[in-house]
Amino acid sequence: MSKFKITVARIEVDARGKQDAQVRITFRIDRAPISFQVPILLSIRDFDDTEMVQAARSALYRTFVELAAQSQKWKLTPEDLRQLSSMSLRPSSRSKGSI
């Protein structure tokens, strides 16, 4: 399986007010044919400019760790997958066209 390519796609500052200003760092995650973006919001007061991308990477990591933990019970064993495959209710291609 090939690795995901993770890049910083965009950095935006939302400066509504000095007190609650935020930075949105959007990561683009690619591995053909999958491609999606994940925005990470950080308070502009918590980190300086040089630390912002590192802090966002850490937040992205924590997000995926939490997602993996939350979906752990969905994991199927190879045997589970074989059973599901053998239970397929799709009509076989041989029955196409016969009336």
Side-chain angles (χ1 to χ4, degrees):
M1 194 180 287
S2 62
K3 289 186 176 185
F4 284 97
K5 180 179 178 187
I6 304 170
T7 56
V8 174
R10 207 168 40 244
I11 299 175
E12 302 166 292
V13 176
D14 178 17
R16 292 181 189 155
K18 285 280 185 185
Q19 295 296 343
D20 59 347
Q22 290 185 320
V23 172
R24 177 190 315 240
I25 298 178
T26 303
F27 290 94
R28 181 177 177 91
I29 301 165
D30 293 296
R31 183 175 75 186
I34 299 168
S35 180
F36 60 97
Q37 295 185 352
V38 178
I40 300 293
L41 295 171
L42 300 172
S43 172
I44 207 162
R45 295 181 310 162
D46 292 343
F47 307 98
D48 70 20
D49 293 348
T50 61
E51 301 167 329
M52 205 58 76
V53 172
Q54 287 178 315
R57 284 181 182 150
S58 179
L60 180 68
Y61 170 78
R62 286 191 318 273
T63 298
F64 280 107
V65 167
E66 290 172 22
L67 180 61
Q70 216 171 338
S71 61
Q72 181 67 31
K73 61 186 169 213
W74 300 349
K75 185 178 179 179
L76 298 175
T77 66
E79 180 59 28
D80 294 334
L81 290 170
R82 278 191 293 279
Q83 284 180 334
L84 287 173
S85 178
S86 69
M87 294 176 6
S88 177
L89 299 176
R90 290 188 191 135
S92 67
S93 58
R94 285 181 274 151
S95 63
K96 253 187 183 178
S98 59
I99 298 177

